[in-house]
Amino acid sequence: MPPVRNRSGLLLCSILLWVGCDQSKPADDLPKENRPSASSLRDLGVGSGNATESAGSPTVARPAIIPVFEEVAEASGIRFQFDADIIPKRYYLPEIMGGGVGWLDYDLDGVLDLYAADGARLLEGQGPERESLDRLFRGRRVDGSSRFDDVTVGAAIREPNYGQGIAVGDYDADGFPDLFVANFGRNTLWRNQGDGSFVEVTTEALPGSGAIWSSSCLWTDVDGDGHLDLYVVNYLDVNPTNYRVCQYNGRDGYCGPGSYVGLQDEVWINRGDGTFENRAIELGFEKGNGKGLAIVSLDLDQDGRAEIYVANDMVANFLFSTRNPFASESASAGSDSGTTYVELGTLSGTAAGETGQPEASMGIASGDFDGDGWPELFLTHYHSHKNTLYRNRRGLLFTDDSKVTGIARISLPFLGFGTVAFDYDRDRDLDLMVTNGHVLGPDHPPELMRPQLLLNDGRGNYSDISDSAGSYFAGEYLGRSLASADYDDDGDLDFAVSHIHRPMALLRNGTATNAEGGATDWVGFDVRSPDRRSLVGSRLEVRCGSTTQVLYVAAGGSYLASPDPRLLAGLGGAPAEAPVEVTAFWNDGRQERWILSARGRYWRLEPGAEPVDLSVLPR
């Protein structure tokens, strides 16, 4: 078919290739006269701004503080590579989507552990027989350094399914974190027995849970009864009888979501007795029949009740809320009960980009990017199509600010998956990390891609500083899941990264953040409820000097990942003598305020209790 241009000047044909149009052509493979023109690229900001540009790379900038990330997986004891079960020329879609990673402290020793989902043989009789199992790595401290031991066997975890997303949560409120593993096939719930081992309880806990393709997942209190519930994002109905191979420019490749039917998401409500009931339709999630890959839950409108946002692949994204500010009071679904949800993606401006065309959403990052106290949403997308930054206009109304923030300019050459918002230089604004890698197959370059580190200028505008971020960021990968954690407790975020074809990476953040010749301060928060109720939907306002940061208690995010749930605030530029004032807005409506006595450590914050300095507690 002839190429068709949208309002941004990009070729809709490159969208159609992922939707499943056999005759479509990737933008990079189109004849030169059919590629986006220089003027249309300038519409997205390419070639503008004060940053320097290099041929074949996005606009780049030189940071004042040089980021330092050292890849230490093998040296730390983590030896793992996802078994994607890729068979040349087969093009069975699950094999190109990767597997998830998650952080947890399963034994409550104060040191974070790491769970890695593995793949498996996808089709009986195709490929060699083998048993690929998920792995649990126990973290420990050795002479001040962090090391990991593979304790999968001792923990009694035997997970042979084709792993996708991971969710960590204490669903039975016994104090020990449990594990849910989403799979291509049968999902699995692992209950932590508190003795260093897990037991698989899927059949009795999740009656009726079938074998489908689930992707990301999270634990949160959906119905407001105090128990952790489980939201499972489902992707596509792909099976041995319906999968197909698509052609792009006469070459075989993976068919995209347009070739398959989407699946209804599942919302498992905790009965409080160790069992769950899928009540997705009853609670208003019947529109959750998308093609979902990522999910996050946090309070987007500061009413104390968390929204649930689902990123879908080439169909409209979903924003579920218990409050509908766009309807009359009498028609506002859930405004009284707080337990029935209404889907507001289109009305809120977060269903699609500025052209109204659904985008190929893969991963989500959230946080207050522009410093106005309200959380934004950042989504990673398909190659030659921008990533999208939805700016919060103070409530459940967002605008696509991808062009004005520089995001469009620096994302076009990439296809993004996992992403995390974090303050790498502790200057009190949120930077971004993105994993990248294509999905069509090895015959359709570019396939391997560099990861990205994006610098926030303090006003929510971004530039690419990957060239300054070290050797890992100079490499090319099929990057997929990205899970953040301060696993060494030094006040900055480190990353576990899953790849296809390459071992998992562990990026230790060694950035030297200096202010006036000394180390820039930080403060961290371990936010928890004494009765183990979910605090998702709460927020912290951290004031130090003249600046106030707002940190949101969230669940989920990135792609197939479960992050360290603790919160970090950099204090760069704040006077050394300035007090750290923290105001908590809990999701039950209560407010509390404290002045912390020290920086450079984590504090445990619980509703109704004084802060606890975790640096003085024995490990």
Side-chain angles (χ1 to χ4, degrees):
M1 63 171 56
V4 181
R5 296 185 183 271
N6 63 18
R7 285 188 291 167
S8 297
L10 291 178
L11 298 176
L12 287 181
C13 196
S14 59
I15 295 179
L16 292 175
L17 74 92
W18 189 234
V19 174
C21 173
D22 290 356
Q23 300 179 30
S24 62
K25 298 179 180 181
D28 287 335
D29 293 335
L30 289 166
K32 183 177 294 185
E33 63 270 22
N34 289 335
R35 296 179 185 174
S37 65
S39 61
S40 68
L41 292 177
R42 283 195 295 271
D43 289 342
L44 287 175
V46 175
S48 64
N50 297 319
T52 58
E53 294 184 62
S54 57
S57 67
T59 304
V60 297
R62 305 294 180 192
I65 294 178
I66 301 301
V68 176
F69 291 91
E70 182 184 5
E71 205 292 289
V72 297
E74 185 169 357
S76 300
I78 296 175
R79 298 172 181 85
F80 174 81
Q81 181 168 323
F82 181 76
D83 180 6
D85 191 36
I86 293 178
I87 294 180
K89 306 302 181 182
R90 181 175 67 179
Y91 300 108
Y92 195 41
L93 184 58
E95 64 190 33
I96 199 62
M97 301 304 287
V101 286
W103 293 96
L104 72 162
D105 181 7
Y106 83 96
D107 52 1
L108 304 187
D109 66 349
V111 181
L112 285 176
D113 315 302
L114 182 64
Y115 188 93
D118 203 356
R121 191 167 71 161
L122 284 165
L123 297 176
E124 196 68 28
Q126 295 189 17
E129 289 191 25
R130 75 274 193 188
E131 187 174 58
S132 301
L133 301 175
D134 293 5
R135 313 307 296 177
L136 176 64
F137 296 94
R138 180 177 181 266
R140 57 190 176 93
R141 298 282 192 264
V142 179
D143 298 327
S145 298
S146 298
R147 295 290 184 269
F148 293 87
D149 298 318
D150 188 334
V151 296
T152 312
V153 174
I157 293 177
R158 187 178 180 279
E159 173 63 85
N161 300 301
Y162 197 93
Q164 298 288 269
I166 298 166
V168 176
D170 182 12
Y171 79 87
D172 53 1
D174 66 351
F176 290 88
D178 309 297
L179 279 165
F180 178 81
V181 183
N183 294 303
F184 177 74
R186 177 178 175 271
N187 297 329
T188 313
L189 178 61
W190 293 94
R191 182 172 64 81
N192 190 333
Q193 301 190 94
D195 60 358
S197 69
F198 291 78
V199 59
E200 202 251 299
V201 296
T202 313
T203 300
E204 54 267 38
L206 304 173
S209 177
I212 54 178
W213 189 354
S214 299
S215 55
S216 294
C217 45
L218 60 76
W219 295 98
T220 190
D221 184 4
V222 173
D223 60 352
D225 67 352
H227 300 300
L228 275 184
D229 309 306
L230 178 66
Y231 194 113
V232 182
V233 178
N234 291 324
Y235 189 35
L236 302 173
D237 179 14
V238 177
N239 59 69
T241 66
N242 72 353
Y243 95 89
R244 49 188 296 226
V245 178
C246 286
Q247 282 201 334
Y248 312 105
N249 273 358
R251 289 175 288 171
D252 289 347
Y254 293 94
C255 290
S259 298
Y260 303 101
V261 175
L263 298 171
Q264 169 69 47
D265 292 349
E266 299 166 63
V267 182
W268 293 93
I269 300 301
N270 193 333
R271 294 188 178 109
D273 60 359
T275 66
F276 296 78
E277 178 185 5
N278 184 8
R279 295 175 56 195
I281 305 302
E282 177 185 346
L283 292 176
F285 296 97
E286 72 277 2
K287 289 188 178 179
N289 185 10
K291 299 178 179 182
L293 287 175
I295 184 171
V296 71
S297 180
L298 73 161
D299 182 10
L300 293 171
D301 55 357
Q302 296 191 358
D303 67 349
R305 293 175 293 186
E307 278 69 41
I308 296 174
Y309 185 74
V310 180
N312 291 315
D313 193 359
M314 289 312 307
V315 296
N317 303 318
F318 301 136
L319 194 160
F320 294 106
S321 177
T322 57
R323 185 178 72 90
N324 185 357
F326 307 104
S328 63
E329 185 175 349
S330 60
S332 182
S335 59
D336 295 326
S337 68
T339 59
T340 302
Y341 287 75
V342 60
E343 202 284 301
L344 301 174
T346 299
L347 292 174
S348 67
T350 61
E354 65 174 6
T355 66
Q357 177 72 39
E359 297 171 301
S361 299
M362 313 289 186
I364 305 173
S366 61
D368 179 13
F369 298 158
D370 57 4
D372 68 350
W374 294 78
E376 275 72 47
L377 296 167
F378 171 79
L379 278 75
T380 56
H381 289 139
Y382 194 70
H383 175 245
S384 79
H385 293 266
K386 67 175 178 63
N387 294 339
T388 297
L389 191 153
Y390 292 110
R391 189 185 296 274
N392 193 328
R393 297 302 178 179
R394 304 202 172 192
L396 295 180
L397 185 63
F398 295 77
T399 55
D400 180 349
D401 279 15
S402 309
K403 292 180 182 177
V404 298
T405 59
I407 289 297
R409 176 178 66 248
I410 56 185
S411 58
L412 283 177
F414 299 98
L415 191 158
F417 275 90
T419 180
V420 172
F422 73 117
D423 184 4
Y424 97 88
D425 50 4
R426 293 180 181 159
D427 65 351
R428 299 192 276 183
D429 55 51
L430 292 177
D431 312 298
L432 288 163
M433 181 175 171
V434 183
T435 63
N436 296 302
H438 220 311
V439 292
L440 290 184
D443 293 332
H444 301 278
E447 184 190 24
L448 306 181
M449 295 180 176
R450 294 174 58 179
Q452 289 177 283
L453 183 62
L454 309 180
L455 175 68
N456 190 331
D457 70 353
R459 300 182 301 276
N461 304 311
Y462 287 88
S463 54
D464 191 324
I465 60 170
S466 307
D467 285 347
S468 301
S471 60
Y472 178 80
F473 287 85
E476 294 185 332
Y477 317 87
L478 288 180
R480 294 300 184 253
S481 187
L482 177 69
S484 59
D486 183 10
Y487 77 88
D488 51 4
D489 292 330
D490 64 352
D492 53 35
L493 281 187
D494 315 289
F495 297 94
V497 192
S498 73
H499 307 116
I500 295 175
H501 298 313
R502 295 193 185 184
M504 173 183 290
L506 178 63
L507 302 181
R508 188 183 65 82
N509 189 340
T511 303
T513 56
N514 297 317
E516 303 298 330
T520 298
D521 283 338
W522 59 275
V523 63
F525 305 100
D526 180 6
V527 178
R528 61 178 65 188
S529 175
D531 58 4
R532 303 185 178 91
R533 296 171 64 95
S534 171
L535 293 177
V536 174
S538 305
R539 70 182 189 276
L540 303 179
E541 292 187 358
V542 182
R543 182 172 181 81
C544 187
S546 60
T547 302
T548 299
Q549 301 175 65
V550 182
L551 310 178
Y552 286 82
V553 181
S558 193
Y559 170 75
L560 308 182
S562 187
D564 179 352
R566 296 175 298 176
L567 304 174
L568 276 171
L571 302 178
E577 67 279 4
V580 178
E581 305 175 31
V582 181
T583 303
F585 296 82
W586 301 118
N587 59 3
D588 62 2
R590 287 184 290 172
Q591 295 183 24
E592 294 184 274
R593 179 179 174 272
W594 308 281
I595 297 180
L596 303 182
S597 60
R599 309 179 183 185
R601 63 202 63 201
Y602 282 94
W603 293 85
R604 179 169 294 158
L605 300 184
E606 295 184 355
E610 287 299 310
V612 176
D613 182 352
L614 295 181
S615 68
V616 303
L617 296 182
R619 289 192 179 275

